[in-house]
Amino acid sequence: MKRIIKSKTILYSILLGSIILSTTSCNKDFGDINKPWDNKVYTPTIPGLYTSIASSMAENGRPLFTSHLYQASQLAASYSASGYRLDDKSSASWYNYYGALIDYNKTMELIEKDSAVARMTNIKAMLKTLISLKTLANTTYYGDMPYSEAGKSYLGAQYYRPVYDKQQDIFSNALKELKWAIDNFSTSTSQMSLGSADVLLQNDLSLWVKFANSVRLRYALILRNKDAAGADAIIADALSKPLLEPAEYISINPAKITGLQIDRSGTFRGNSYIRMGSTIWNAMSSSAATDGSGIYDLRTKIFFEPNKAGQWKPYPQNPPAGTEAETANGVVDGKNNDPYAEARTTTWLAPGNYLYSPLNYYYVADRTIPDLIITGSEVSFLKAEIYNRGIGGVAANPATAKQFYNAGITESVKFWYKVANSSTIWVVNKPAAAPTDGELSTMLANSNVAYSNTVATALTQIYRQSWLAMFHQPYDAWVLQRRTNYGTPFTQLAPTSEVLDLNKLIYPQAEASSNAVNWRAATNGADDKSKKPWFMP
């Protein structure tokens, strides 16, 4: 029976299975590391704890991104107020991070106590890469947060209520940890291997270096709003070291983990009222023609589909008075109006009606699409931005910026064609394995895509295409939107919008009671989603 991810616990079980199957190879390398720790309840091991941390890299908080972050980033629109409350759903990423931080601290403790610590430098670098990425991501979501004293509750009561560190200090330390990892990965044969336990990158050290360095480059660009000199030094150093190539990406990938499926369909039903929005439609089509004749972006028909009547009809991001109401998801008058209903796998035309273009059913329902952590396309757009702006120790170079810009678009399109074509459930309007050279050339030459000779316009294009390439990464698209001061495609929202001025996530409600003193010091007693984190302009 196939197992389907709906939580970190299930993913952990799947990944742990791969470790159990490879016990012999792990024991060969680890020896004393696998001996029981002096705890009567359980026996933590480095491979097992690493697996727990690796499992936490998967997407989390899906009800949040389908109900809030898709419309906040404007990668989609919501035709009705979500049934999910922000303060209820914003805690998933918080607890995901702190669970991983505990595992990280315990793993590092085991490593430092072991007599073979000198042979585990690569493992330390892997762990530092993963937790540094999670740290930087989490602070861009929430702002100030517990860090230096956090994840150590197993050491005693003095760590039960950790202080909130300033975001600036968190950025500084996490970026230093990434540099340590990049500088210390070693090809020495004396280094121990995690064997099959490294389900993320299969012990490919060159890819680990690219991963860590690409993450460092991403967050250096975010840092630059507040510390240009410090960021430029990091950018210059990152550009001198290996980075992800345009076609490379880091992910939790069902194709590489036996029995793994990633089920995201449930979060598009029920209380998530998601449709294609007017903002993204205007970034993918040159006209409002409902027959789709204005579509120039080759990913449009992979991400979205026409409404029940076969028309391409976006829901307005800020619906004016008189906007025709969408029919509710679910069964209405005996007919199922839900475009995300599972029955569409076998019966494509739903019996009911939906007026606005939904996300493509197959994109929602396919359980083999990898959870993307960072992609070579994103790195290409970061490079395009650097050469467009002339920062990080490089001179502005429009030709080089254009080269990376085109590479980012090209590889994003190729990736989604490959994903859609490899889907075993995709039947209706299934794309080819890859776009033709002619199709790509036509898209890149379109007046809405072709790299502009005007520097400011070209920068806007870079942000737009990076945002589009992050369709499957709404958290990262939201960060991009905020770090560019809303430089990604954006429509001013109505004053009543539930995502108006969503500049940070709300801290979990439990923080106000269990860590009250430190929570009050960080929030002045009132947590506010509109408060800008330190990194924002």
Side-chain angles (χ1 to χ4, degrees):
M1 181 178 69
K2 289 184 178 180
R3 290 161 288 185
I4 302 172
I5 292 185
K6 292 197 178 182
S7 69
K8 174 183 172 182
T9 302
I10 298 176
L11 175 57
Y12 174 83
S13 299
I14 292 171
L15 299 184
L16 183 59
S18 67
I19 290 178
I20 293 172
L21 292 174
S22 60
T23 301
T24 302
S25 63
C26 283
N27 282 340
K28 177 181 178 182
D29 277 335
F30 279 91
D32 290 345
I33 294 175
N34 286 326
K35 289 183 179 180
W37 179 61
D38 58 343
N39 186 303
K40 305 296 183 182
V41 179
Y42 69 99
T43 306
T45 66
I46 290 170
L49 289 169
Y50 168 85
T51 297
S52 180
I53 297 167
S55 73
S56 75
M57 304 306 293
E59 289 175 354
N60 54 82
R62 287 194 173 96
L64 176 66
F65 73 64
T66 51
S67 58
H68 291 85
L69 294 188
Y70 264 128
Q71 49 180 324
S73 65
Q74 304 201 7
L75 288 169
S78 182
Y79 66 82
S80 181
S82 170
Y84 295 119
R85 287 170 51 92
L86 178 65
D87 53 358
D88 285 341
K89 294 302 175 183
S90 65
S91 61
S93 294
W94 184 270
Y95 294 125
N96 173 285
Y97 170 69
Y98 287 107
L101 187 61
I102 291 171
D103 289 342
Y104 169 80
N105 287 334
K106 172 51 67 176
T107 310
M108 296 301 282
E109 178 184 290
L110 290 178
I111 290 173
E112 295 300 335
K113 287 182 177 180
D114 195 273
S115 59
V117 60
R119 298 178 60 209
M120 288 182 276
T121 303
N122 282 341
I123 297 170
K124 288 169 65 175
M126 292 175 184
L127 290 165
K128 285 178 181 290
T129 298
L130 295 182
I131 205 65
S132 296
L133 169 55
K134 292 185 71 66
T135 297
L136 289 163
N138 215 57
T139 190
T140 56
Y141 304 159
Y142 295 95
D144 298 346
M145 67 182 196
Y147 177 57
S148 58
E149 295 181 1
K152 301 176 182 179
S153 57
Y154 62 90
L155 294 176
Q158 68 270 32
Y159 292 105
Y160 287 176
R161 296 175 178 83
V163 299
Y164 283 59
D165 292 78
K166 295 295 183 183
Q167 186 172 78
Q168 180 177 4
D169 297 330
I170 296 169
F171 256 76
S172 176
N173 190 72
L175 287 167
K176 287 177 181 176
E177 291 284 87
L178 282 170
K179 178 172 171 53
W180 187 95
I182 295 162
D183 291 344
N184 283 276
F185 276 114
S186 171
T187 57
S188 170
T189 56
S190 68
Q191 286 294 302
M192 289 181 176
S193 168
L194 282 169
S196 298
D198 183 14
V199 292
L200 279 178
L201 303 184
Q202 294 75 47
N203 302 291
D204 185 334
L205 293 182
S206 65
L207 193 55
W208 269 105
V209 172
K210 291 180 181 180
F211 176 24
N213 198 35
S214 298
V215 170
R216 189 167 174 243
L217 184 65
R218 172 200 279 177
Y219 286 95
L221 266 294
I222 297 173
L223 172 67
R224 200 175 189 281
N225 286 326
K226 299 297 181 179
D227 181 4
D232 280 350
I234 295 172
I235 292 168
D237 187 60
L239 291 175
S240 71
K241 294 179 170 64
L243 290 158
L244 289 172
E245 297 296 328
E248 293 178 318
Y249 60 93
I250 309 298
S251 69
I252 298 286
N253 193 345
K256 295 184 178 181
I257 303 174
T258 303
L260 175 62
Q261 293 187 356
I262 302 175
D263 184 5
R264 57 180 58 83
S265 61
T267 56
F268 288 88
R269 304 179 189 131
N271 288 324
S272 293
Y273 309 117
I274 298 299
R275 296 291 186 268
M276 177 177 75
S278 55
T279 300
I280 195 168
W281 171 247
N282 292 334
M284 303 180 96
S285 176
S286 59
S287 76
T290 58
D291 64 358
S293 58
I295 293 174
Y296 57 81
D297 192 301
L298 296 171
R299 295 161 292 190
T300 309
K301 296 178 182 180
I302 295 175
F303 295 160
F304 303 104
E305 62 177 83
N307 66 7
K308 178 62 184 297
Q311 299 175 326
W312 289 92
K313 187 176 180 180
Y315 189 79
Q317 217 76 40
N318 184 356
T323 298
E324 187 175 14
E326 173 66 296
T327 53
N329 284 348
V331 178
V332 179
D333 296 330
K335 296 181 178 181
N336 193 338
N337 293 311
D338 189 354
Y340 309 124
E342 191 172 6
R344 291 191 66 201
T345 300
T346 54
T347 306
W348 178 247
L349 293 178
N353 193 28
Y354 41 94
L355 303 177
Y356 297 94
S357 296
L359 274 67
N360 193 307
Y361 170 75
Y362 295 119
Y363 168 77
V364 170
D366 193 285
R367 296 171 178 175
T368 64
I369 299 175
D371 278 353
L372 298 175
I373 298 172
I374 188 168
T375 68
S377 288
E378 178 185 348
V379 172
S380 293
F381 290 121
L382 294 175
K383 290 179 179 179
E385 178 182 356
I386 290 165
Y387 282 94
N388 170 279
R389 297 172 64 187
I391 60 177
V394 303
N397 188 324
T400 303
K402 178 181 178 180
Q403 176 187 345
F404 286 123
Y405 170 81
N406 286 343
I409 296 172
T410 298
E411 292 305 329
S412 175
V413 172
K414 286 182 176 180
F415 171 84
W416 284 108
Y417 265 68
K418 181 179 179 180
V419 166
N421 183 263
S422 64
S423 170
T424 58
I425 68 167
W426 200 306
V427 176
V428 179
N429 298 321
K430 188 170 187 174
T436 66
D437 291 342
E439 288 171 330
L440 281 169
S441 295
T442 298
M443 177 179 169
L444 293 174
N446 185 280
S447 59
N448 296 282
V449 179
Y451 195 77
S452 175
N453 292 325
T454 303
V455 173
T457 302
L459 183 60
T460 298
Q461 291 176 311
I462 293 168
Y463 292 154
R464 180 194 302 134
Q465 290 299 328
S466 182
W467 171 78
L468 284 167
M470 288 177 176
F471 182 78
H472 194 54
Q473 301 161 260
Y475 280 97
D476 296 325
W478 179 51
V479 174
L480 176 65
Q481 178 194 67
R482 292 178 296 146
R483 75 101 166 161
T484 60
N485 197 25
Y486 292 81
T488 57
F490 182 76
T491 300
Q492 184 57 49
L493 300 174
T496 55
S497 172
E498 59 186 341
V499 294
L500 184 71
D501 297 328
L502 180 58
N503 292 324
K504 67 178 291 294
L505 296 185
I506 302 298
Y507 297 120
Q509 294 175 336
E511 280 291 294
S513 55
S514 64
N515 195 12
V517 172
N518 294 313
W519 176 85
R520 278 196 293 270
T523 64
N524 292 320
D527 198 3
D528 183 359
K529 68 180 177 64
S530 68
K531 179 183 178 182
K532 289 186 175 183
W534 170 80
F535 79 88
M536 285 186 66

